[in-house]
Amino acid sequence: IFKVYYVEKNKIVIKAQISKSVPYIGKITIQRIKPESDFDKCIEVNNRLWTCSSDNNEIYACKQGDCTNWQAYSDGIATDSYAMTVGCEGDFTGIARQNDSVIFFKENWVLKIYGTKPSNYTLATYNVLGVQKGSAKSVVWINGVLYYLSTKGVCRYSPGGQPEVISEE
């Protein structure tokens, strides 16, 4: 099995260890694999697309600068793709950007990814009111404050703070 690491115009680069040369006449299939994800929950941050999969309970980022490459892991460099499994239950319900960080939501969780490259990405999970299922489009930034619909009502989430229900105000 060979892995395709990147594609340039009219050129495919394949890295493999070959112990001996064997003539081959036949068909070779090359494909790009993208994660099976909730692409309705997708956002761009620092020239990367970020998305998630509720079925797999995973978060993904494409290779920096290449939104078609989701599996470039071997080089160990800052532009590699990224994937992680998260440990909190529930479906992903929303996504937002805060400066250089990515925020993923579940109904009872806020998951924030800090860092500048795959080798220093850190996930912080908070067991607080998240976005209500089916309300991903309610997530909006207004004057530096994030608002969204939770199961308890409209929440205000200021950077560095806790989400608070404001719909009763």
Side-chain angles (χ1 to χ4, degrees):
I1 293 186
F2 301 99
K3 290 187 177 181
V4 175
Y5 286 91
Y6 58 90
V7 178
E8 296 175 9
K9 188 173 182 175
N10 299 321
K11 179 179 173 184
I12 297 175
V13 176
I14 301 174
K15 294 181 181 178
Q17 282 187 325
I18 300 175
S19 57
K20 63 180 181 176
S21 177
V22 178
Y24 176 77
I25 299 174
K27 186 177 180 180
I28 296 176
T29 302
I30 299 173
Q31 63 183 17
R32 285 201 183 258
I33 300 170
K34 68 176 180 66
E36 294 179 20
S37 70
D38 307 337
F39 271 103
D40 61 328
K41 294 162 197 75
C42 185
I43 198 164
E44 181 277 330
V45 178
N46 293 332
N47 205 17
R48 275 183 210 278
L49 290 182
W50 289 82
T51 190
C52 53
S53 168
S54 292
D55 291 340
N56 298 327
N57 212 24
E58 293 178 333
I59 292 173
Y60 312 100
C62 72
K63 181 176 181 173
Q64 190 173 35
D66 184 355
C67 65
T68 64
N69 197 339
W70 294 85
Q71 294 190 340
Y73 301 117
S74 70
D75 294 331
I77 58 176
T79 59
D80 278 354
S81 305
Y82 181 74
M84 73 175 312
T85 303
V86 299
C88 51
E89 74 282 347
D91 290 343
F92 287 99
T93 57
I95 189 170
R97 171 188 185 150
Q98 180 186 21
N99 300 323
D100 291 338
S101 298
V102 185
I103 304 171
F104 290 91
F105 294 93
K106 294 185 174 203
E107 281 194 334
N108 297 304
W109 296 92
V110 173
L111 301 91
K112 191 169 182 181
I113 296 181
Y114 298 93
T116 57
K117 58 188 174 188
S119 64
N120 72 8
Y121 286 147
T122 304
L123 177 69
T125 58
Y126 306 97
N127 190 287
V128 295
L129 284 174
V131 174
Q132 181 180 32
K133 194 169 188 171
S135 299
K137 292 184 179 183
S138 73
V139 180
V140 61
W141 283 97
I142 301 173
N143 295 327
V145 178
L146 186 63
Y147 296 90
Y148 57 86
L149 182 61
S150 75
T151 56
K152 304 283 186 196
V154 176
C155 282
R156 173 177 50 216
Y157 182 40
S158 299
Q162 293 275 340
E164 60 180 316
V165 178
I166 62 166
S167 52
E168 294 177 3
E169 292 179 8

